[in-house]
């Protein structure tokens, strides 16, 4: 009998996801240059919009902890709009269902991606948000599992995880042995300049994905 389980219940840490899927971390900027090399410029208009985004976030954050939906509204959605992911050739899917068949078909893991960005049916970015009371690192095992559900092997797929205060980028490449790596932590709560770099990375991913 096939057993089904929720990804959030089964995958709780990095060891779980790495062992279950033979996933290997490649700690190399050569593997994941998109977060630190050849980043596009941020225009004065974009900087102004990012400054407003941060002021709004700090205003609401100052009143207390924020839930995932509020983090998505205040941080993720405006960033996606500024990076151009709401416009052609990209499409957005919210609460997209995914399944992973594991253990030689004996188990199915199911979950929902908070936001999925596609280009011509190819996955571009998986976004996962957590409430501000949780560490951003708590979202990484779940996001990696969602990235592994990507049905296409032809292109790498990227992830963005955030708890509002911090953001981390992920790159995963599916192969015989799936590989991934992480960016540094970007602390937008601490510095407004962090948001400028975050937007640069999103724009760079948008540029490069069509040529990979």
């Amino acid at each position: 009998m096939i057993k089904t389980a929720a990804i959030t219940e089964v995958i709780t840490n990095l060891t779980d996801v790495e062992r279950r899927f033979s996933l290997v971390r490649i700690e190399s900027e050569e593997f994941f240059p998109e977060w630190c090399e050849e980043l596009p410029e941020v225009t004065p208009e974009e900087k102004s919009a990012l400054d407003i985004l941060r002021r709004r976030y700090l205003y609401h954050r100052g009143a207390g902890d924020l839930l995932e939906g509020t983090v998505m509204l205040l941080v993720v959605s405006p960033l996606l709009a500024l990076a151009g992911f709401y416009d052609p050739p990209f499409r957005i899917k919210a609460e997209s269902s995914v399944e992973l068949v594991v253990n030689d078909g004996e188990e199915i893991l199911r979950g929902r991606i908070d936001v999925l960005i596609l280009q011509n049916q190819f996955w571009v970015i998986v976004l996962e948000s957590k409430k501000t009371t949780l560490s951003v690192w708590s979202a990484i095992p779940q996001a990696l599992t969602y990235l592994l559900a990507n049905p296409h092997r032809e292109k790498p797929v990227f992830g963005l995880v955030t708890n509002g205060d911090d953001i981390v980028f992920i790159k995963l490449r599916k192969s015989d042995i799936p590989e991934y790596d992480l960016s540094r932590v970007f602390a937008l709560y601490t510095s407004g300049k962090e948001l400028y770099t975050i937007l640069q990375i999103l724009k760079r991913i948008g540029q490069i994905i069509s040529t990979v």
Side-chain angles (χ1 to χ4, degrees), residues 54-71:
R54 185 166 180 267
R55 282 200 302 271
R56 287 174 176 162
Y57 178 75
L58 293 178
Y59 168 72
H60 290 281
R61 184 71 172 93
D65 297 320
L66 304 177
L67 297 177
E68 293 96 326
T70 308
V71 169

Side-chain angles (χ1 to χ4, degrees), residues 56-176:
R56 287 174 176 162
Y57 178 75
L58 293 178
Y59 168 72
H60 290 281
R61 184 71 172 93
D65 297 320
L66 304 177
L67 297 177
E68 293 96 326
T70 308
V71 169
M72 191 65 69
L73 286 171
L74 291 175
V75 178
V76 177
S77 184
L79 279 172
L80 293 180
L82 283 170
F85 288 114
Y86 285 167
D87 303 310
F90 303 105
R91 293 193 180 277
I92 300 288
K93 286 188 176 181
E95 296 293 324
S96 183
S97 299
V98 293
E99 282 191 355
L100 275 172
V101 179
V102 295
N103 296 331
D104 296 322
E106 295 181 359
E107 186 178 15
I108 297 175
L109 303 183
R110 290 176 174 159
R112 286 186 178 274
I113 299 172
D114 287 348
V115 177
L116 173 62
I117 299 173
L118 302 102
Q119 180 189 27
N120 297 326
Q121 302 306 312
F122 288 98
W123 290 24
V124 178
I125 303 179
V126 167
L127 296 104
E128 181 69 19
S129 66
K130 295 293 183 184
K131 56 188 176 182
T132 52
T133 52
L134 296 177
S135 165
V136 70
W137 299 106
S138 68
I140 290 175
Q142 188 175 331
L144 281 169
T145 308
Y146 293 153
L147 291 169
L148 286 162
N150 177 15
H152 303 288
R153 301 171 66 93
E154 296 89 342
K155 296 183 179 183
V157 63
F158 298 88
L160 181 155
V161 297
T162 183
N163 62 354
D165 295 347
D166 303 316
I167 284 178
V168 175
F169 289 91
I170 307 169
K171 179 178 181 179
L172 184 140
R173 187 184 297 277
K174 294 183 74 172
S175 56
D176 293 337

Side-chain angles (χ1 to χ4, degrees), residues 188-202:
L188 64 91
Y189 185 83
T190 304
S191 169
K193 291 182 179 179
E194 295 283 80
L195 269 177
Y196 301 165
T197 307
I198 291 165
L199 179 61
Q200 287 179 292
I201 296 168
L202 285 171

Side-chain angles (χ1 to χ4, degrees), residues 26-40 158 169-171 181-186 196-205 208:
I26 307 297
E27 295 188 70
S28 167
E29 290 184 359
E30 293 182 2
F31 177 81
F32 191 4
E34 293 86 354
W35 77 268
C36 56
E37 295 181 5
E38 299 181 25
L39 299 180
F158 298 88
F169 289 91
I170 307 169
K171 179 178 181 179
D181 199 13
L182 307 172
S183 74
R184 72 169 176 87
V185 177
F186 293 91
Y196 301 165
T197 307
I198 291 165
L199 179 61
Q200 287 179 292
I201 296 168
L202 285 171
K203 291 170 67 175
R204 180 61 177 152
I205 292 172
I208 205 168

